[in-house]
């Protein structure tokens, strides 16, 4: 079974996806981390962010893998071409680079291939922007998770404080979220949008535990 969770940055997708996966005994896949890893590789190889062909090559020629910290069932570690980039992909520099990288059709094609290969191997909660519309249009459960801009910015600041990486300036984070939403929603290749058959959940008005329970109930109904 595939549970697709899409939505803008900071809506709580990662927290919710990981908790749902743990509750149901599913694996989980953070597709945003894959776009971030390609952006990191492009920057470290000196590839220009407007060179679509070179960016596509980076995505095609580097395997992305996930790993576990011992004792943690959630695969939080991220590798590209064998290099660990778990923290390096969460910086403000990558936040800025990832939108142009993820707008390139050949980058998307390469990563969607990898995502389908991974997800088709078992029961997965997959989070991203185009999972219900493009990567797994046949997903048994589709959720589009949103929250107000302000709430999302507050959450992202708290997350950056906890991780010790990324900006902790609220106004900067809010402006960056809005800029990325605009870029992600207006690009021509698989823009951010809810699938017609997705269940819309606004996490501003609900405790995260309620959202997790609601998605687990949708999964139980779909079995
Ligand atoms: O979820 P995130 O903030 O880590 O995602 C990073 C970027 O990757 C975001 O700007 C949008 C892009 N992305 C995408 O285009 N498609 C996906 N399935 C996941 C993320």
């Amino acid at each position: 079974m595939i549970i697709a969770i899409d939505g803008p940055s900071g809506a709580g997708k990662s927290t919710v996806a990981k908790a749902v996966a743990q509750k149901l005994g599913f694996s989980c896949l953070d597709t945003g981390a894959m776009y971030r890893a390609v952006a990191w590789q492009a920057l470290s190889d000196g590839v220009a962010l407007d060179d679509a062909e070179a960016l596509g090559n980076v995505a095609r020629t580097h395997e992305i893998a996930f790993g576990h910290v011992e004792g943690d069932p959630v695969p939080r570690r991220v590798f590209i071409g064998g290099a660990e980039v778990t923290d390096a992909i969460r910086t403000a520099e990558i936040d800025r680079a990832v939108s142009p990288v993820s707008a390139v059709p050949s980058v998307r094609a390469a990563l969607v291939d990898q995502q389908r290969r991974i997800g088709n191997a078992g029961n997965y909660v997959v989070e991203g922007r185009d999972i219900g519309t493009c990567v797994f249009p046949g997903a048994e459960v589709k959720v589009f998770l949103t929250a107000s801009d302000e709430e999302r910015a507050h959450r992202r600041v708290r997350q950056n404080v906890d991780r010790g990486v990324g900006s902790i300036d609220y106004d900067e984070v809010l402006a960056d979220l809005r800029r990325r939403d605009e870029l992600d929603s207006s690009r021509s290749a698989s823009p951010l949008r809810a699938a017609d058959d997705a269940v819309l959940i606004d996490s501003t008005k609900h405790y995260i535990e309620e959202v997790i329970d609601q998605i687990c109930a949708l999964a139980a109904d779909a079995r």
Side-chain angles (χ1 to χ4, degrees), residues 171-219:
D171 290 326
E172 187 188 344
V173 169
L174 179 63
D176 182 64
L177 277 180
R178 287 179 167 155
R179 188 185 56 81
R180 279 205 292 146
D181 286 354
E182 173 56 28
L183 289 169
D184 294 344
S185 314
S186 62
R187 69 175 178 229
S188 54
S190 307
L192 167 67
R193 77 171 176 83
D196 295 337
D197 51 351
V199 176
L200 302 186
I201 303 179
D202 184 341
S203 72
T204 319
K205 304 184 199 113
H206 300 281
Y207 289 112
I208 220 77
E209 288 72 22
E210 291 176 333
V211 177
I212 294 162
D213 288 345
Q214 190 178 348
I215 299 174
C216 289
L218 291 170

Side-chain angles (χ1 to χ4, degrees), residues 9 13 30-33 35-36 90 98-99 102 108 115 127-131 156 180 184 187:
S9 352
K13 294 189 303 293
D30 173 359
T31 62
Y35 289 95
R36 288 171 178 275
R90 303 291 167 191
V98 69
S99 283
S102 63
R108 302 201 70 82
Q115 290 157 16
E127 54 145 319
R129 303 293 189 288
D130 60 340
I131 309 306
R156 187 47 64 97
R180 279 205 292 146
D184 294 344
R187 69 175 178 229

